[in-house]
Amino acid sequence: MLMCANTQRRWSGFLPLVLAGAALGWCALPAQANLVLQTIYTSAAGRYNTWFSALTQTPDGSFYGTTPAYDGSSPYGTVFRMTQAGALTTRQIFLGVNGLDPEGGLVLASDGGLYGTTTGGGAYSLGTIYRIAATGQFQTVAAFDGTNGASPIFTLIQARDGFLYGLTSSSGTNNTGAATVFRASTAGVVTTLTNLPANTMPSDGLVEGPDGWLYGTTTTFSFSGGPIGSIYKVSTNGTFRTLASFYDGPVPRLGGSGDRSIGGLTTGTDGFLYGTIGHNLFPLVTSNGSVFRMTTNGVRTTLFAFSGANGSNPLTRLLLAKDGAFYGMTAQGGPSGNGTVFRVTTNGLLTTLAGGFGLYWANGSIPPLMQADDGNLYGTGIVPAQGSYSSVIWRLVPPPVITGETLSNGRLTLTWTSFTNGSYQVACKGAINETNWTALGSPITATGGEAAFSYFPGSASQCCYRVTLLP
């Protein structure tokens, strides 16, 4: 097999084919080490204040998410639906009376509904829990009045007991009390389980641990030499325990801090919890952040420490993917300093999958990745656009690799690696050193992990073929 230099973006291989009685020969590009970031939706320039939440996929293959502010159709946020092809439609507009600022994403509950929260609006102007049915019907499930918490944030979870659990940023009718952990039935009964410690705010949503307890992380906005972040657990009956505290360097810094220094936690299949820590925290082995593993008793082990060249400041909840590894993102570092997407195993082997996209994230907060039914990773972010910024929805996909060819009765069939609903174009040219490629047929939409194209080359004595992944 002859190897050729990769001079075309997003193409993985071409095949020069000699038809005049000679044996078929490959000239293929090696598979790229990095994945391809493919933008599938971009908002209008200047709409970056409407950053997208993390995505949730429903059984019909659609993606749902939220925008917390003006997106051109609502001053108070929306719920949107997007196809895998990137067609986005607004499913719900928030007007204040039915909630405003849905800063968290959506959870697909066992009853088939999507549940989310708004930080404000509703009957008491202190936030709501809402439900969107598979048919699109919107329902306000509960309204916060201060006595049951105020201004819910982050994405709800549904625990094994069937209840929804979440966090508020405050409590009290004047919205100045402590942040809370709450339980809610799908019928709308909200119960406060516990208050978080004074002067702390949730830094990410909850996760259910292998022991049935709820785990979360905090950041401290006002302190005097104390911790600026912590990891905690709370039982479903409200028992609260602090498992770990973190400081801003070996000598605790005085003053306030709004840094989101600890990402959310993810439960592994091995009985441990996994998480990320940002830079400049103590105790920490690197100023660029790390990935750690933790027991349910709070004993932590550093799995990987970032160096900066491979990423820095991994402020995101890890995704446990179908291959058993964890995937996440760093906010800085990597090839261009704009962050990376990485894969890390349970024994600490880290691989940088992609980087240098020029992505940014609102308020330094990175919505977590999600893995769709096509096997690809999806995420959201912000990119420069026309002197301002736009919000984007993107996915990471493997570039196509030509895997086979068959010539039978003058008909040539090419096969290549693909993913469901990926759109590909086959093209050819007469020689490797020619500049122009000629498209063969219409784009092909893949239905699985392998796609194929067949045609009759005719009298051509030689042709080089390539397959490109289309936007």
Side-chain angles (χ1 to χ4, degrees), residues 4 16 18 38 131 138 140 185 222 234 265 292 305 316 354 361 375 469:
C4 303
V18 180
Q38 185 183 49
R131 179 183 187 273
F138 177 88
T140 299
S185 69
S222 177
V234 58
L265 300 173
F292 67 89
T316 179
W361 290 276
L469 172 65

Side-chain angles (χ1 to χ4, degrees), residues 84-110:
Q84 289 188 345
L88 189 144
T89 55
T90 298
R91 298 304 298 265
Q92 179 63 34
I93 294 175
F94 291 98
L95 301 172
V97 64
N98 61 348
L100 60 87
D101 272 355
E103 292 190 4
L106 299 162
V107 60
L108 179 62
S110 56

Side-chain angles (χ1 to χ4, degrees), residues 77-451:
T78 68
V79 176
F80 65 86
R81 174 184 180 270
M82 186 189 73
T83 67
Q84 289 188 345
L88 189 144
T89 55
T90 298
R91 298 304 298 265
Q92 179 63 34
I93 294 175
F94 291 98
L95 301 172
V97 64
N98 61 348
L100 60 87
D101 272 355
E103 292 190 4
L106 299 162
V107 60
L108 179 62
S110 56
D111 64 2
L114 292 164
Y115 289 80
T117 62
T118 64
T119 62
Y124 307 98
S125 300
L126 295 176
T128 68
I129 299 174
Y130 61 89
R131 179 183 187 273
I132 293 185
T135 58
Q137 181 182 3
F138 177 88
Q139 175 189 1
T140 299
V141 174
F144 289 87
D145 61 9
T147 63
N148 58 0
S151 299
I153 54 175
F154 299 114
T155 304
L156 298 168
I157 66 167
Q158 186 175 40
R160 292 189 290 269
D161 61 9
F163 287 99
L164 303 171
Y165 291 88
L167 299 158
T168 69
S169 61
S170 60
S171 59
T173 55
N174 59 358
N175 206 14
T176 59
T180 70
V181 180
F182 68 85
R183 177 178 63 222
S185 69
T186 54
V189 178
V190 178
T191 303
T192 299
L193 296 181
T194 187
N195 292 343
L196 294 181
N199 300 321
T200 66
M201 282 279 290
S203 61
D204 209 317
L206 298 167
V207 64
E208 186 176 23
D211 55 358
W213 287 56
L214 308 173
Y215 291 76
T217 56
T218 70
T219 186
T220 302
F221 281 81
S222 177
F223 62 94
S224 298
I228 68 167
S230 70
I231 301 173
Y232 66 89
K233 64 188 293 187
V234 58
S235 70
T236 54
N237 63 10
T239 302
F240 181 91
R241 296 176 185 172
T242 297
L243 297 177
S245 297
F246 298 89
Y247 297 83
D248 189 18
V251 178
R253 184 181 68 181
L254 299 180
S257 173
D259 297 337
R260 185 171 179 265
S261 304
I262 308 171
L265 300 173
T266 301
T267 302
T269 58
D270 53 5
F272 293 97
L273 294 112
Y274 292 79
T276 58
I277 303 176
H279 55 66
N280 295 330
L281 286 186
F282 182 80
L284 191 60
V285 297
T286 173
S287 62
N288 292 296
S290 64
V291 178
F292 67 89
R293 178 177 62 218
M294 187 183 75
T295 69
T296 55
N297 292 324
V299 178
R300 299 181 316 284
T301 302
T302 298
L303 291 181
F304 185 85
F306 289 92
S307 65
N310 56 11
S312 177
N313 217 12
L315 296 182
T316 179
R317 180 192 295 266
L318 296 171
L319 165 72
L320 176 60
K322 297 172 185 176
D323 63 0
F326 295 91
Y327 291 77
M329 293 175 286
T330 62
Q332 290 96 33
S336 67
N338 288 333
T340 64
V341 178
F342 63 87
R343 176 185 187 270
V344 62
T345 64
T346 54
N347 59 6
L349 177 64
L350 186 135
T351 304
T352 300
L353 300 177
F357 323 133
L359 285 173
Y360 301 86
W361 290 276
N363 299 328
S365 175
I366 308 176
L369 294 167
M370 64 86 62
Q371 187 175 32
D373 58 11
D374 62 9
N376 293 320
L377 303 178
Y378 288 73
T380 62
I382 297 170
V383 294
Q386 302 177 23
S388 182
Y389 294 90
S390 292
S391 297
V392 296
I393 301 173
W394 51 269
R395 63 185 168 196
L396 283 176
V397 297
V401 176
I402 295 176
T403 56
E405 47 75 22
T406 303
L407 183 63
S408 177
N409 297 322
R411 185 181 185 89
L412 174 69
T413 300
L414 298 178
T415 58
W416 62 90
T417 59
S418 62
F419 62 90
T420 301
N421 292 322
S423 182
Y424 301 88
Q425 179 66 62
V426 179
C428 73
K429 62 182 180 179
I432 295 174
N433 58 359
E434 288 186 6
T435 301
N436 297 324
W437 291 87
T438 300
L440 299 177
S442 300
I444 293 174
T445 300
T447 58
E450 184 177 76

